[in-house]
């Protein structure tokens, strides 16, 4: 007979080893990228524009584009996803149609991003004539992002116990007020996690953007804040290569002598950008959560 | 001893010797908190989860609803403040201050403010103790800080929680113990100044000491509120309630003074249930 204590010990050690492997791989990956890339990252690198044939270019435009596109696509997709998730979780009747809808959304969230990119290319770039632009890119990212965000917010809302909804209703507060003031604050930390994960995917996304936001970064005049001017960084109709697309491009068609270094440095910056965004979003989420729920006091 | 003439039998179905059902009616002398006339509830549109129930609850008294699991106690209780609105179809009348609360034109939000409800599992909001009590108020009207402070203090005092939390009103309500949370939830309901308090097994998730505190709280509240409480605890029903109603399989079987239900019930089913020879 096998001693259950020993079985238990073996199982625990096995799980520990598996967890250790995951941590090791991650640490190796992050360490490798940072060690390879960080030596080339400098203030100059971050703040000067990229060059197309000579060495010594930077990534200022790409860095800005990545953040700008992230913010824009979140601005579009977050309200829609929130609304859809609230409807699905709080109001939708439990029938065939709604469950089909829910399943479709889940299927959509595993749609390959290159398909989304091609769709965006055909529809927004060509048919609607938006061209390779921030707008086309933001819409493609929204398509790509919406199902993931909706599903994750819906799950966050579903995790708030029904007791909380009953409590609100029993106090003569309307369902809507209960959702806004009780359910969403309670779900906030988990919603923020969903947004952070989605943002990480957006920042790293290349395939959906190559055909929509384009692969070029025009010369930008940082003091020109008129969004209708072609040299303004805010202009939504200009092409905008992001960091991820930049990394892809210089690796596939290296026309610059320092492609290897720039690619390594860009990867390190992209990684740090994701970390920083992650931290900021969680901090912000925490502050709001504490304000609304008296948590942590 | 209370005079027999105060209470009269209304149920027409009763047999001469052994009653099938026995439901007392309050005489004119007893002020009514709320009463139902042929209240029915169905969840699926086909089968009654509550068969026509006619019962009047006396004002400023505690009434216990007892009966086996699935007998329809919660179903009945939740209908009184229209909590079953989206879940079930409720028929018949619910009379409160001369108005039928079950009528479609009734403002359910107002109903739920007048008729507060406390559930089996404590459900404070993930907010501070203070905000838990003021939240519903500030959603509806304008109150000054002084008024709110005052309401928070009185509600917490009425729920016998003030002394324990007065120095930590801005702490999260989730950090309170289960018994404290349940009293906070009672305070939260009291803050809306309801007439009637409905409680669905409010102490079943609590230890004996917290249970005693809740019971004491309820008995003290009786002077100003009418209380209807669902309980599985026979001793509790006997200890705190003036009237007791016994439900079985979706039917109101017997309704009488608590001491009568527990000493000389008129229906055999009730006798079996209160003496423990039941399923
Ligand atoms: N939301 C619902 N949908 C469908 N049926 C329900 C629902 N709630 C209760 N029922 C049914 O109604 C009947 C009465 O249930 P109810 O919850 O009122 O019983 P109860 O007396 O409160 O029982 P317990 O003591 O276990 O709380 C049960 O048969 C139950 O299955
Ligand atoms: Mg119940």
């Amino acid at each position: 007979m096998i001693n259950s204590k020993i079985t238990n010990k073996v199982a625990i050690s096995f799980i520990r080893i598996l967890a250790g492997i995951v941590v090791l791989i991650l640490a190796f990956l992050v360490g490798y990228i940072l060690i390879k890339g960080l030596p080339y990252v400098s203030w100059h690198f971050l703040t000067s524009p990229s060059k197309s044939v000579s060495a010594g270019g930077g990534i200022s435009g790409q860095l800005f584009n990545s953040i700008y596109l992230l913010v824009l696509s979140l601005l579009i997709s977050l309200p829609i996803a929130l609304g859809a998730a609230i409807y699905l979780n709080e109001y939708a009747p439990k029938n065939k149609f709604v469950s089909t809808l829910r399943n479709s959304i889940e299927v959509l969230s595993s749609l390959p991003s290159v398909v989304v990119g091609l769709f965006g290319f055909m529809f927004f770039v060509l048919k609607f004539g938006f061209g390779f632009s921030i707008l086309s890119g933001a819409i493609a990212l929204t398509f790509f992002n919406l199902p993931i965000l909706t599903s994750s917010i819906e799950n966050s809302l579903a995790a708030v116990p029904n007791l909380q909804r009953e409590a609100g209703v029993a106090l003569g507060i309307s369902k809507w007020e209960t959702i806004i003031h009780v359910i969403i604050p309670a779900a906030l930390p988990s919603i923020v996690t969903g947004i952070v994960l989605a943002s990480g995917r957006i920042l790293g996304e290349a395939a959906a953007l190559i055909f929509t936001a384009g692969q070029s970064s025009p010369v930008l005049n940082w003091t020109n804040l008129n969004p209708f001017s072609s040299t303004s960084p805010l202009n939504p109709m200009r092409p905008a290569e992001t960091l991820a697309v930049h990394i892809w491009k210089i690796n596939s068609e290296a026309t610059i002598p320092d492609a290897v270094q720039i690619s390594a440095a860009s990867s390190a910056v992209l990684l740090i950008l994701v970390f920083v965004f992650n931290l900021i979003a969680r901090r912000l989420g925490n502050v709001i959560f504490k304000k609304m729920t008296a948590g942590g006091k | 001893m209370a005079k027999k003439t105060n209470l009269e039998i209304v149920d027409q179905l009763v047999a001469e010797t052994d009653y099938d059902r026995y439901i007392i009616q309050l005489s004119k002398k007893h002020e009514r908190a709320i009463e139902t006339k042929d209240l029915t509830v169905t969840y699926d549109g086909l089968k009654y989860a509550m068969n026509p129930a006619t019962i009047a609850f006396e004002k400023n008294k505690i009434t216990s609803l007892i009966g086996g699991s699935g007998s329809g106690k919660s179903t009945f209780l939740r209908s009184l403040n229209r909590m079953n609105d989206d879940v079930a179809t409720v028929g018949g009348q619910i009379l409160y201050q001369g108005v039928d609360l079950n009528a479609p034109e009734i403002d359910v939000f107002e109903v739920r403010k007048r008729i507060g409800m406390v559930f089996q599992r404590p459900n404070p909001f993930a907010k501070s103790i203070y905000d838990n009590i003021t939240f519903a108020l500030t959603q509806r009207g304008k109150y000054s800080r002084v008024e709110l402070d005052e309401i928070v203090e009185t509600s917490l005092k009425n729920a016998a929680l003030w002394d324990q939390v007065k120095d930590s009103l801005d702490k999260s309500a989730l950090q309170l113990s289960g018994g404290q949370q349940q009293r906070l939830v009672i305070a939260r309901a009291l803050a809306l100044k309801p007439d009637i308090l409905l409680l669905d097994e409010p102490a079943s998730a609590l230890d004996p000491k917290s249970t005693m505190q809740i019971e004491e709280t309820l008995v003290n509240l009786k002077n100003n509120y009418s209380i209807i409480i669902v309980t599985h605890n026979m001793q509790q029903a006997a200890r705190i309630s003036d009237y007791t109603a016994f439900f079985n399989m979706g039917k109101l079987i017997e309704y009488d003074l608590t001491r009568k239900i527990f000493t000389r019930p008129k229906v055999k089913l009730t006798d079996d249930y209160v003496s423990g020879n039941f399923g």
Side-chain angles (χ1 to χ4, degrees), chain A residues 7-53:
Chain A
T7 335
N8 193 35
K9 268 197 176 148
V10 172
I12 289 181
S13 326
F14 187 62
I15 291 169
R16 282 219 178 109
I17 291 172
L18 287 183
I21 292 176
V22 172
V23 171
L24 267 180
I25 293 177
L26 263 179
F28 172 73
L29 208 74
V30 171
Y32 182 82
I33 293 172
L34 291 182
I35 290 169
K36 278 263 171 182
L38 275 185
Y40 305 107
V41 177
S42 62
W43 186 244
H44 173 81
F45 178 71
L46 292 177
T47 55
S48 49
S50 59
K51 293 187 174 158
S52 40
V53 281

Side-chain angles (χ1 to χ4, degrees), chain A residues 52-276:
Chain A
S52 40
V53 281
S54 55
I59 51 163
S60 64
Q62 286 78 4
L63 193 57
F64 176 80
N65 290 342
S66 281
I67 298 171
Y68 193 34
L69 265 170
L70 171 66
V71 171
L72 270 188
S73 63
L74 278 185
L75 275 183
I76 305 173
S77 52
L78 194 55
I80 304 177
L82 194 60
I86 290 177
Y87 173 74
L88 282 175
N89 193 59
E90 309 288 337
Y91 290 99
K94 287 181 180 53
N95 57 28
K96 255 232 149 90
F97 173 71
V98 173
S99 69
T100 313
L101 195 71
R102 191 172 283 127
N103 287 337
S104 327
I105 291 177
E106 258 157 36
V107 170
L108 274 180
S109 55
S110 52
L111 203 66
S113 56
V114 64
V115 175
V116 176
L118 278 174
F119 172 80
F121 176 66
M122 289 192 307
F123 253 79
F124 303 109
V125 176
L126 298 181
K127 193 152 182 123
F128 293 171
F130 294 166
F132 288 123
S133 63
I134 290 188
L135 184 62
S136 302
I139 297 176
L141 283 181
T142 301
F143 274 46
F144 168 69
N145 195 22
L146 212 47
I148 307 169
L149 211 51
T150 305
S151 288
S152 88
I153 297 179
E154 193 193 346
N155 288 336
S156 311
L157 294 178
V160 177
N162 251 330
L163 291 172
Q164 295 278 313
R165 295 179 181 83
E166 270 190 330
V169 172
L171 287 172
I173 302 164
S174 72
K175 193 167 175 179
W176 177 247
E177 290 169 313
T178 308
I179 292 170
I180 295 297
H181 297 287
V182 178
I183 307 302
I184 291 187
L188 201 65
S190 145
I191 292 178
V192 169
T193 304
I195 296 175
V196 165
L197 289 177
S199 306
R201 290 183 52 159
I202 291 179
L203 282 174
E205 182 53 41
L209 290 175
I210 292 169
F211 306 114
T212 53
Q215 308 170 34
S216 58
S217 192
V219 179
L220 300 175
N221 174 2
W222 297 102
T223 55
N224 182 352
L225 295 181
N226 173 8
F228 299 105
S229 158
S230 64
T231 59
S232 165
L234 299 180
N235 183 352
M237 300 314 288
R238 68 176 174 86
E241 184 189 45
T242 64
L243 259 185
V245 174
H246 190 57
I247 294 170
W248 171 81
K249 195 176 78 181
I250 49 183
N251 277 299
S252 57
E253 42 181 85
T255 51
I256 38 175
D258 55 354
V260 176
Q261 288 88 327
I262 291 201
S263 153
S266 301
S267 306
V269 171
L270 185 56
L271 199 67
I272 293 170
L273 189 62
V274 172
F275 280 143
V276 168

Side-chain angles (χ1 to χ4, degrees), chain A residues 181-182 184-189 286-297, chain B residues 125-129 131-132 170-174:
Chain A
H181 297 287
V182 178
I184 291 187
L188 201 65
N286 251 337
V287 170
I288 303 175
F289 179 66
K290 276 191 185 146
K291 231 190 195 135
M292 293 177 99
T293 62
K297 268 193 215 166
Chain B
F125 299 128
K127 296 178 184 297
S128 70
I129 295 173
D131 289 348
N132 258 277
D170 60 343
K171 286 228 174 82
S172 167
L174 303 181

